[in-house]
Amino acid sequence: MTVAVVFGAFAWGLLLLLAPGWLIARAGGLRGVAAASVATGLSCAVIGVAELGVSAAGLPWGRVGWVTITVLSAVSAALLLGLRRLLPGPRGTLGADAVAGAPAPSRVRSHPGRDRLILLGGLALAVGLGAGGLWWGTGGLATPPQAFDAVFHLAAVQTIREGGDASSLGGLADLYQGRRVYYPTVWHGAAALLPGTASLASNVLVIIVGAVSWPLGVVGLIDACCVGARTPVAGGARVGVTAAGGPGSGDAVAAPGSAAGRARALTLAAGALAAAATSALAVTLTTLAVWPYALSLVCLPGVLALAHTLTSAAGWRPRLVVGLLAAGAAAGAVAAHGGAVFNLLVLLAALAVSWVARLLRAGGARRRRVLSVLVLALAAGAAGAWVMRAPLASVLGYERDGGSALATLAQSLMDTPQYGPLTWHGLPVGIGLLALAAVAVHRRGREMRLHLVTWVLTLGLVVLTGGPQWPGRALGAVWYLQKARVQPLVVIALLVLAGHGLHLLLTRWCGQDGPRARRRTTALVGAVAATALLAAPLHAQLAGSIHDDERIAYGTLVTEAELAAQGELAALLPPGAVVVAAPSLGGTYLWIEHGVAVVYRTRVQPAADSPELRLADAPAVLEPGSQACAALEELGADYYLSVTRNPSGLEHGSAPLRWDADLAHWPSEGMESVGTVATPTGSLTLNRIIGCG
């Protein structure tokens, strides 16, 4: 894999996940970290719509996808800009300036200086540490990840590249034996547009999502909820960042270079580093390998930031613009993964209840309008639940062994991994965040109530999901009863509280003269940076748990030597050959890495009554008229890949055989050997099936 391909994958990946959303956010008036925090969510919305449009037009995803994304981004930005110009009122900017919290160009001239360099330096360090840890554990970026979900997602990327259909409404039909079912494909469609193999594109997106989109989203959320919301300035006044584009307290601005501006920059820089130090998102990107879900998670902070801005906006015009941006970012999160619906309900519950209660207390016509909207929303929700009753019943009926509530609580509070062989490993980063949160709650108890309620709600949910078996645990079924899927919500809520604590301490110390205050400031920010640095080895271990072929969590699918052997055997096959290979023994990688068609593209059990399942269940008798030969003829398969492996040198052994256990060891009768390649742990043999006649 050349350096140019790797560089191109990173460049195009960053462009794809950030540029469309950033352009739309700018057109909507957002600036600085406010625009950056919602960029990924809005980009996901654009990609999702583009996938549906290209599929409906019957065009192949690829260059057409790039063109469609570009056109949709430009049109959306133009419409939003036109709307802002048509609506009455001042056309200021929305959100906070990157450093000062000012409405930036339209109201205050922005002067880059030391404060901006502090913020950019902190962001760069957070991105570098996050990317370094994940890249370090990945090894070579072209190394294919190995996990149950990772195999499926790699296969989805390859399917889109070959079939040209990236629609979430049936684009992955080939992976479901021809059935067109819903599956979120924003991640896969984006990866399919990047250069290099499916493995390279996916590894690059993992780094971008975990090291770039995540800290940017968290910084924007901290800015909206903690820093920009209340920035003290000279004379005791406060600046509120409002959606109208103007400061909330006259025209006072925490100007760059002032104590408030320096405290703001340091808070946001430390917030980015704190986000980089946490492990909850890294687990979803590595050991758990639920990449679409992780992509939806990094969209959530931007949505929450806009939601908080919306509730404090003055006037219907700014509320309309912010509401449109928030809806777009939320749609992007849902397009990335449907689980974002439930995540948003949890994270926005306290804010929504508080806002609705405030509107109801106003009385009069406003109260009647709110009640009408609530009735309509409940009716729409009930109708949607009825339409989706079958999938919901299936999800709510999901079962998984229970665990310890106390252990789950401790893991969640410390933010140690909650899935895989690395549970309880790493620094207890959550304890440091809890200490900062305690500062915020102690000094600003009333102002912290909503954030505190949200954190307690998410904490209770993760304990419920990871705790012992009882009827109420069914609530966690929408997260597949995996506490590692819920933990990122706890971290998001806790980072907001910790951001408040950071800002309170830094505002106090930056406003004081003397070396003692400077030492305290340096020590606090330095401690957060050191924590992010010390967290990198854990993130590397997490990445290694799906890339290091000798230490794959839950068992190795394929070794590096076996991948090379697959390449040698692939060269012996004629064009159009189809191979039967057990996916639990790495057979899928023959297709993903070497382009050879295989019968079984994922480790998911084939659909009932499909020829794939009939072949897997049939006795391995290769003679005319047998069930196996009938299924092989229907599938057009003429070759079989045999894998022998001694797992003694593998830390977690080989991956367990599932429904493909009988496929793993076919007898040699009815086959002739095409070639055999020895490996340090065994051998791979390619056979041509001749017994079926």
Side-chain angles (χ1 to χ4, degrees), residues 340 353 416 436 452 481 592 614:
V353 170
T416 57
L436 292 170
L452 188 60
L481 294 177
I592 294 171
R614 289 199 297 271

Side-chain angles (χ1 to χ4, degrees), residues 578-607:
V578 180
V579 179
V580 177
S584 295
L585 290 176
T588 300
Y589 295 98
L590 185 63
W591 171 54
I592 294 171
E593 294 296 310
H594 307 291
V596 176
V598 296
V599 173
Y600 302 102
R601 299 184 173 190
T602 73
R603 296 185 71 195
V604 179
Q605 181 172 335

Side-chain angles (χ1 to χ4, degrees), residues 629-654:
C629 285
L632 287 168
E633 183 178 359
E634 191 173 354
L635 294 167
D638 296 315
Y639 294 86
Y640 173 77
L641 181 66
S642 173
V643 179
T644 60
R645 181 193 304 153
N646 180 2
S648 60
L650 306 176
E651 185 172 323
H652 301 289
S654 293

